[in-house]
Amino acid sequence: MRIIKKNAMFYMMMIPIVVYFAMFAYYPLVKGIQTSFQDYKLMGERPYIGLDNYDLVIHDPSFWDALWNTLYIGGGILIIGFIAPLLIALSLNEVMKSWFKKTAQMLLYVPHLLSWVVIGGIFIFLLSPDTGLVNMLLVNIFGMNPINFMADESWARSIMIGSAVWKDMGYNCILFLAGIAAISPSLYEAARMDGATRWQQVRYVTLPQLMSTMKVIFLLNTLGLLRIFDQIFVMRNPAITSKVDVLMMYTFQKGIMEIRFGPAAAASFFVVLFTLLLTVMVRKITRFDEV
Amino acid sequence: MKKNAVIAMILAGTTLLSACGTNNSGVANSSPYASGTGSPAASADGGKLEILTGNVGGKTPEGNAEFEKELSEKLGLDVTLDKPASDYDQKVLTSLSSGAKYDLIEISDLAKLDVFINQGVVTDLSDFVQNSTVLSDPSVIPTEEWEQVKGPDGKIYGVFSKFQGATMPIIRKDWLEKLNLEEPKTLDELYTVLKAFKEDDPDGDGKANTYGLSTSGLYDIQGIMSAAGLKSRYVMQEGKRTIPYATDAAIPMYEWFAKLVKEGIMDPNFITNDTAKMRNLFLTDRVGMITYWDAWVGMFNNLKKTEDPNTTFQAEGILSIPAADGTILMRRGDPDFWIIPANAPHPEAAKKFLEFWNTQEGITLGSLGVEDFDYTLDNGAYTLTEIGETANMDHGVPYWYNSTVKSPFPALPGVEDAMALSKQYATLELSLSTWPDAEKIVNNYALKAMSGQMAAKDAVAQMQKELKGANLID
């Protein structure tokens, strides 16, 4: 009690934050869970129907397709989107010319600032079979037939993964570079005195010292794995939906397009549940608590 | 300590208020009168009218404010016009599900009307329509049209916002003339024309940079699928749900499209095109035929004429390709209509609006816009202002049912002929609640077959298997 009194000002400052999260995060979450047990109608009676909505979702093949697509695309983004910026950050760290380093960072970061509407438009344009730069190169330099990348199922997931990685590469790269910058120079000095080469310095100093940053970034990216939506919404088309429709698209389809809020809420609950499970798994695997 | 506590309280209060402020985008705050500034005093019940609309109003925020003011004056009501800039359907659903109260909501999807009836959202307007001297007049709204907005129980749940036309093949008539070709009447003739559009340099720039046909995915190939007598979406046959595009009869049609794709006659981006991209291709001389709304025939011609008065560009709406038995299938679009939600606070004010909207005054407002802002009236002569020109005589009502109201301006070139075809041949599609699920399957395999990624026979077989498996056809 004495401690509470002593820090009363700080506790009071926390009130709006707690109220904010209660109102705009936890209240909707609880309402969503409630809806998932109801025959939810826009107006009038909303009777409770037990687990019917969950039963419907579980027995809907589209849901499992969407889950598999989410894990495939989200997993790809998680892994490649983790490794690629790490490699670039390590490479940039070895670059001595600061102007090159700064320019490269800036250029890599710019796509992160653009919305998916812009990025989607850029990719659709670049990959267009008649006027797209990629196909022009394939046709004019390699003499290949144009590929309709955006309408071909065999390319669909790779394009989603590639574009997502490209978009956020700079952002993750900056986080890694910040972690690298925090490593004590004395460690490198000691390694050099022991005769370590540049590669050995990376292998035995940078990577171990960067481990905690890597764990944080990996965990943060895991949290977003099942929530991919904007990108798919912008870049999908009817020819590739079966390969790219993700869980959030499924929820959107059920809730907004079909006005079936009960099943949509049940599907959303699964997203929350799966995210929780994934996060716990990643924490265990990465021994996050040892950060 | 006390001083610190006061500071902390102020900080907490301001943070909370700012947090709420950034998230309260609800209906109450979206109303210009909700803040209490510059608001006409709330009149007695029925004196206010809150409208949620996707199409009606001005084209800019200023134009919308003028429209709202004009509507208030004309109706003698305190009108609030909520016109979201985007994602209208989502706004409707989130508003209804959050308990927001509107007196009128504009809808443009008949399938949604059935859902809303099931969800207890809409008010029965049968008595109102039948007893209204304006709305029950067949010259204002033809009697048979009301069938569209009836629920399964035979009651009327909506009132039309405007006349909705149909979609059809729209062709470059000037290209036809230049290449000495006739308007295509069979699938073979259509192929010949489209091939010529691709290969015979119809734009005369000496480059092979044109396509015969462009669509926006499967939207809307009805004018061509008509050749096999295939109606889009669901068709009930002996009480069973069928999807003609998923039947064996569709196989030769998909093969026909695949041939166009293979020979480079079809715009290769047709799968990823949205309708705006398709329109732009047509307007920029890249493609000779598209499939789109009749109203756009006039708008295409007008846009090109405004751009270049000497243009030879001439768009023309043509008939769908007849089936072997002579049947012509055209797709009539779902109407735009108003509903009065069950929780509307001022239903009588809403009814007043619905009658007004179908009178000469209402139609003038919905088409030309606001006097002295969108147009001027001088001794009976109407002149569009610059803002009015941009709005293209469309403030939610580019075309209307009321046959007693004539437009003060001549129709845009080509649109009357196109609409005459629509009125003669176009029929509504059957919208069942299972269509969104079925559409995904049909679109997926139809596009694969059309683009040649999959043999049409296999695509249709797979389509049928999945539709049956998901209980989407009987």
Side-chain angles (χ1 to χ4, degrees):
Chain A
M1 197 62 197
R2 198 170 57 83
I3 294 169
I4 291 174
K5 263 189 178 172
K6 189 181 168 192
N7 299 311
M9 189 183 78
F10 298 107
Y11 284 111
M12 275 193 278
M13 284 178 72
M14 276 180 66
I15 291 171
I17 309 300
V18 171
V19 171
Y20 176 83
F21 276 99
M23 278 174 71
F24 298 110
Y26 291 100
Y27 175 70
L29 183 70
V30 172
K31 283 291 283 180
I33 293 171
Q34 184 192 14
T35 303
S36 72
F37 294 108
Q38 287 176 310
D39 178 12
Y40 192 90
K41 289 195 166 117
L42 287 166
M43 285 179 196
E45 291 291 308
R46 292 162 183 170
Y48 285 91
I49 52 168
L51 294 170
D52 283 8
N53 289 322
Y54 289 93
D55 189 52
L56 189 147
V57 169
I58 287 170
H59 289 98
D60 184 354
S62 304
F63 173 77
W64 295 105
D65 287 346
L67 177 62
W68 170 239
N69 288 341
T70 313
L71 291 174
Y72 193 110
I73 297 170
I77 295 170
L78 180 68
I79 294 165
I80 302 173
F82 178 80
I83 295 170
L86 177 62
L87 292 177
I88 289 174
L90 292 173
S91 308
L92 281 177
N93 189 50
E94 299 302 311
V95 173
M96 293 301 167
K97 301 278 184 196
S98 78
W99 66 267
F100 180 83
K101 205 169 163 179
K102 284 177 184 169
T103 311
Q105 273 186 57
M106 189 190 74
L107 290 175
L108 282 170
Y109 187 74
V110 167
H112 179 73
L113 300 173
L114 304 176
S115 75
W116 268 115
V117 177
V118 177
I119 303 272
I122 290 171
F123 270 81
I124 291 168
F125 178 70
L126 280 176
L127 299 173
S128 159
D130 65 341
T131 51
L133 183 67
V134 176
N135 270 308
M136 281 164 76
L137 290 174
L138 291 178
V139 172
N140 296 324
I141 297 178
F142 301 105
M144 292 168 64
N145 286 325
I147 299 169
N148 203 343
F149 290 102
M150 294 302 296
D152 190 336
E153 279 186 351
S154 57
W155 285 96
R157 287 168 174 163
S158 310
I159 289 164
M160 296 299 164
I161 293 169
S163 53
V165 170
W166 177 78
K167 185 179 188 292
D168 285 334
M169 182 122 65
Y171 176 75
N172 287 325
C173 185
I174 283 176
L175 296 179
F176 283 126
L177 282 170
I180 292 170
I183 299 170
S184 169
S186 59
L187 294 172
Y188 290 103
E189 202 178 324
R192 276 196 298 274
M193 286 176 72
D194 289 342
T197 62
R198 293 285 285 273
W199 166 244
Q200 284 169 329
Q201 286 175 47
V202 171
R203 169 76 181 78
Y204 296 107
V205 178
T206 311
L207 282 175
Q209 290 296 312
L210 201 56
M211 196 52 79
S212 55
T213 308
M214 287 158 66
K215 284 181 183 179
V216 172
I217 292 173
F218 195 77
L219 189 72
L220 285 175
N221 290 350
T222 306
L223 290 173
L225 193 150
L226 299 178
R227 289 185 295 150
I228 315 160
F229 178 74
D230 294 13
Q231 177 194 13
I232 305 295
F233 187 72
V234 170
M235 295 178 74
R236 77 200 272 269
N237 64 63
I240 57 171
T241 47
S242 61
K243 297 288 177 194
V244 301
D245 266 4
V246 288
L247 279 179
M248 294 310 288
M249 274 306 304
Y250 176 87
T251 308
F252 178 79
Q253 171 89 16
K254 285 277 171 276
I256 303 294
M257 308 292 283
E258 298 176 26
I259 319 180
R260 294 163 75 189
F261 292 105
S268 300
F269 178 73
F270 280 122
V271 173
V272 174
L273 191 69
F274 292 152
T275 303
L276 187 70
L277 285 173
L278 270 172
T279 312
V280 171
M281 275 166 60
V282 170
R283 282 181 68 106
K284 282 273 176 206
I285 292 166
T286 60
R287 296 178 190 167
F288 189 79
D289 295 334
E290 293 171 20
V291 167
Chain B
M1 173 63 200
K2 270 188 178 174
K3 193 180 167 188
N4 285 346
V6 171
I7 292 168
M9 288 287 280
I10 292 167
L11 274 173
T14 47
T15 314
L16 181 58
L17 284 174
S18 64
C20 293
T22 52
N23 284 279
N24 268 349
S25 55
V27 182
N29 280 359
S30 66
S31 160
Y33 301 142
S35 62
T37 54
S39 150
S43 41
D45 185 40
K48 285 186 73 126
L49 178 64
E50 297 220 20
I51 303 175
L52 180 60
T53 174
N55 300 309
V56 170
K59 300 286 183 190
T60 59
E62 298 77 38
N64 215 40
E66 288 290 333
F67 196 93
E68 194 177 61
K69 205 172 117 193
E70 184 80 352
L71 203 50
S72 298
E73 282 173 18
K74 297 264 186 205
L75 290 170
L77 297 166
D78 175 6
V79 178
T80 305
L81 194 69
D82 193 355
K83 187 181 179 191
S86 60
D87 302 325
Y88 179 71
D89 288 348
Q90 291 174 49
K91 169 82 177 176
V92 170
L93 287 174
T94 47
S95 299
L96 287 171
S97 57
S98 67
K101 291 181 179 174
Y102 286 98
D103 300 308
L104 281 165
I105 296 179
E106 192 185 20
I107 309 285
S108 55
D109 182 352
L110 283 175
K112 285 226 167 68
L113 178 63
D114 283 346
V115 177
F116 285 159
I117 292 169
N118 286 334
Q119 304 235 352
V121 171
V122 286
T123 307
D124 172 15
L125 298 174
S126 307
D127 290 343
F128 161 64
V129 170
Q130 278 149 17
N131 296 329
S132 162
T133 49
V134 177
L135 298 175
S136 63
D137 181 349
S139 67
V140 173
I141 292 170
T143 311
E144 66 275 10
E145 291 293 303
W146 290 106
E147 291 301 319
Q148 295 182 58
V149 282
K150 281 183 180 171
D153 54 5
K155 292 176 181 168
I156 295 170
Y157 287 98
V159 173
F160 300 100
S161 175
K162 64 174 182 182
F163 171 78
Q164 186 69 282
T167 55
M168 57 179 55
I170 301 177
I171 203 161
R172 286 289 296 269
K173 196 181 180 193
D174 55 319
W175 284 13
L176 277 179
E177 285 169 1
K178 189 175 178 183
L179 301 174
N180 287 320
L181 294 163
E182 294 293 318
E183 186 181 301
K185 299 245 177 347
T186 65
L187 211 52
D188 288 341
E189 286 175 15
L190 180 60
Y191 171 77
T192 307
V193 164
L194 298 180
K195 192 173 167 68
F197 284 171
K198 163 74 185 169
E199 294 173 356
D200 296 350
D201 191 24
D203 60 342
D205 67 353
K207 295 176 192 165
N209 55 0
T210 50
Y211 295 112
L213 174 67
S214 181
T215 67
S216 170
L218 220 60
Y219 176 104
D220 157 62
I221 57 167
Q222 177 67 87
I224 300 168
M225 298 298 268
S226 166
L230 302 168
K231 182 76 179 162
S232 180
R233 297 199 189 179
Y234 274 107
V235 169
M236 295 300 283
Q237 277 183 348
E238 295 165 4
K240 289 184 173 175
R241 296 170 302 164
T242 64
I243 297 176
Y245 281 22
T247 60
D248 290 353
I251 295 171
M253 295 309 302
Y254 295 139
E255 285 170 345
W256 186 84
F257 279 106
K259 187 177 160 193
L260 293 191
V261 171
K262 193 177 175 191
E263 294 179 11
I265 296 170
M266 183 97 168
D267 163 24
N269 291 305
F270 77 100
I271 295 175
T272 51
N273 279 345
D274 54 24
T275 55
K277 279 183 191 152
M278 179 182 75
R279 291 197 305 263
N280 284 339
L281 281 177
F282 192 65
L283 281 167
T284 52
D285 298 336
R286 293 284 317 280
V287 65
M289 191 174 112
I290 58 169
T291 52
Y292 206 42
W293 294 101
D294 49 11
W296 270 90
V297 173
M299 286 198 260
F300 284 134
N301 289 326
N302 192 45
L303 278 166
K304 291 297 277 191
K305 202 81 184 163
T306 311
E307 219 173 72
D308 173 15
N310 300 318
T311 184
T312 56
F313 180 99
Q314 196 182 354
E316 185 185 48
I318 62 169
L319 263 186
S320 299
I321 305 297
D325 63 358
T327 310
I328 291 168
L329 294 172
M330 293 179 87
R331 182 176 81 94
R332 185 157 181 206
D334 284 1
D336 283 11
F337 56 95
W338 299 104
I339 58 161
I340 301 182
N343 65 349
H346 316 102
E348 291 311 312
K351 288 173 183 170
K352 191 175 180 183
F353 170 90
L354 293 176
E355 287 191 323
F356 163 79
W357 198 240
N358 284 284
T359 61
Q360 169 135 21
E361 244 187 327
I363 290 167
T364 306
L365 182 61
S367 55
L368 300 185
V370 178
E371 191 176 345
D372 296 328
F373 185 78
D374 294 295
Y375 70 95
T376 56
L377 182 57
D378 188 18
N379 287 330
Y382 288 82
T383 311
L384 291 178
T385 62
E386 205 174 316
I387 294 168
E389 292 271 5
T390 315
N392 219 2
M393 293 187 280
D394 179 6
H395 291 83
V397 189
Y399 301 98
W400 51 89
Y401 282 104
N402 193 332
S403 57
T404 63
V405 180
K406 304 292 174 205
S407 172
F409 294 94
L412 296 178
V415 74
E416 281 184 333
D417 291 340
M419 284 200 161
L421 296 178
S422 304
K423 283 174 185 166
Q424 191 174 351
Y425 296 104
T427 50
L428 279 170
E429 290 168 341
L430 177 61
S431 300
L432 299 181
S433 59
T434 48
W435 177 245
D437 281 335
E439 187 180 25
K440 275 174 76 174
I441 297 169
V442 173
N443 271 349
N444 186 14
Y445 289 106
L447 290 173
K448 280 192 179 73
M450 288 165 70
S451 61
Q453 290 179 47
M454 200 170 180
K457 198 178 159 191
D458 298 340
V460 168
Q462 197 61 28
M463 219 187 277
Q464 287 173 4
K465 190 179 159 196
E466 288 192 18
L467 287 168
K468 273 190 185 144
N471 193 28
L472 296 168
I473 52 172
D474 299 316

